[in-house]
Amino acid sequence: MVRERQLQNFDELVLAARASRTRAYAPYSNYAVGAAVLGSDGEIYKGCNVENASFGLTICAERNAIAAMVAAGCTSARAVVVVTSDAGTPCGACRQVLAEFSGPNAPVVCIGEGSEQHFTVGELLPSSFKFQ
Ligand SMILES: [Zn+2]
């Protein structure tokens, strides 16, 4: 029963990430990214990449999804799905943000067109920065 519920959540997470990817604003790279985060509150939070002519202001889909979760009052993610054309993995900045708002065992699934990669947050960033 718990596994069925997890699978249902996973399917919903993938659908949310795919839907979010269609909203990506990526006129410079043409690399559309959609992300969805399952919060510890059971809600799904979505994000897409939002580029800017001043490239340094671009914000990744993963960080936008986490920001939406935090803005809704939830500060812990159980799972993350990222959808791109090539199953690309989160950048270094996003890995640090994922580490801030999830445990090291939280799954991160990167889905492309015909391929996917499975990680945990701890695998993606084994020695994350921690403020002491
Ligand atoms: Zn990123």
Side-chain angles (χ1 to χ4, degrees):
M1 190 64 163
V2 170
R3 181 159 174 74
E4 283 176 22
R5 181 157 173 75
Q6 287 173 338
L7 286 174
Q8 184 182 354
N9 279 340
F10 180 73
D11 289 345
E12 289 176 22
L13 215 49
V14 172
L15 286 173
R18 286 190 194 284
S20 192
R21 184 173 180 238
T22 68
R23 303 272 170 89
Y25 179 77
Y28 306 105
S29 71
N30 288 316
Y31 189 72
V33 183
V37 172
L38 177 63
S40 61
D41 59 359
E43 297 294 323
I44 290 174
Y45 300 97
K46 299 187 288 188
C48 61
N49 55 330
V50 180
E51 294 183 347
N52 192 281
S54 178
F55 292 167
L57 300 180
T58 293
I59 304 175
C60 300
E62 300 92 319
R63 279 181 283 156
N64 274 335
I66 291 287
M69 179 185 79
V70 173
C74 180
T75 56
S76 179
R78 285 188 200 151
V80 180
V81 169
V82 182
V83 175
T84 61
S85 59
D86 60 355
T89 58
C91 76
C94 286
R95 293 177 191 205
Q96 180 65 39
V97 170
L98 293 174
E100 178 86 18
F101 292 104
S102 66
N105 295 322
V108 180
V109 181
C110 303
I111 298 175
E113 295 163 5
S115 64
E116 60 183 64
Q117 303 188 76
H118 295 247
F119 305 95
T120 64
V121 168
E123 288 171 340
L124 287 174
L125 190 63
S127 300
S128 67
F129 175 77
K130 304 262 192 267
F131 190 78
Q132 300 297 326

